[in-house]
Amino acid sequence: MGLKANYLFAVFFLAILACSERKYEKYESNKEFSSWNKVQPIALVIHGGAGTIKREDMSPEREKAYREKLMESLNVGYAVLADGGKSVDAVIAAIKVMEDSPLFNAGKGAVFTHDGKNEMDAAIMEGSTRNAGAVAGISTVKNPITAAYEVMENSPHVFMVGKGAEQFAEEQNLELVDPNYFRTERRYEQLMKIIDSERQQLDHSSIREMELEDPFFKDRKFGTVGAVAVDAAGNVAAATSTGGMTNKRYGRVGDVPVIGAGTYADNATCAVSATGHGEYFIRNVVGHEIASIMRYGNKSLDEAANEVVMDQLVKMEGSGGVISIDAQGNISMPFNSAGMYRGYIREKGQAQTFVYNDEDEGL
Ligand code: ASP
């Protein structure tokens, strides 16, 4: 090949290189443009328990108190997300507000065991790593959800119970309180009434009469609190906290701290927090079941959550509901009981709260 041919070949080669470089630059800037363009939604959903919550039994003051506390919890949790914080921190912040309030069956205001104690369960899970932490049967940690978080973050374990969990919480410098801190008179009265009805071996209609006399007695079973969220990084998280069920005995533990049952999070599918008759939620592995229906059945979050709560659980008479969210910010909150204290807040949105089953959630 002559010198001229060599020269022409070199020019041709350089021209091709320059073209492909420009093409690559364009591709790169398009990529950035599209990822700037796609805004990752942030959102938080909470519940304050499901149960026989009916309009006719609720006083306006009581409803207002619940809605205000739910609103506060949503705003406190959302502030974490809006600040660029992690979903796991947002759900903790939201739960703490409800644990500190005597209105809910979690932290202060937890229901009583048959032996007149408050024994609490809590769990937390993050969807990016599927790390999880849970505690059960604890009576001295002011905010049980913080104990679950410490188990996840600062131990090689997932689940701790009773005295061991309390000792671990103390070693992590969590705030401890006298077990009496959790006591509320109304919850104690609920226990007394249930024990009384058991003693008298009351039939269904007499129990109904007691419920009519004292609507709060109806609330005797549930009242757990929960939160699920997605943050600006697209990571989901779930957290749940409870006193369990009134009159529980023999160290009974419900679904709340059972990862996959009452609490579950996986970025690939969803984050779920449940409330209801725990035994049924454990047997149906509710949180993981919803995720599995999405993953293997190729269903949307709403389809999967409804299938489990409104079909599988209903067939077994497992009363309750869930709140759930996916990484795209879709929300679903089905329940098969008369009511469920619940609410959500989304980017640029106002916090919204709901109590009954006939309210338009606007989802
Ligand atoms: N699921 C809880 C339990 O069985 C009770 C509730 O949700 O209120 O312990």
Side-chain angles (χ1 to χ4, degrees), residues 105 221-224 242 244-245 252 254-256 274-279:
N105 172 18
K221 286 184 189 155
F222 310 137
T224 292
T242 189
M245 287 174 78
R252 179 263 186 194
D255 59 313
V256 165
T275 172
H277 198 149
E279 280 67 11

Side-chain angles (χ1 to χ4, degrees), residues 19-37:
C19 271
S20 68
E21 276 286 299
R22 278 187 53 192
K23 234 181 176 170
Y24 180 71
E25 269 168 31
K26 210 167 148 202
Y27 167 74
E28 278 294 280
S29 64
N30 270 349
K31 226 170 61 175
E32 269 173 36
F33 178 72
S34 60
S35 68
W36 283 345
N37 227 4

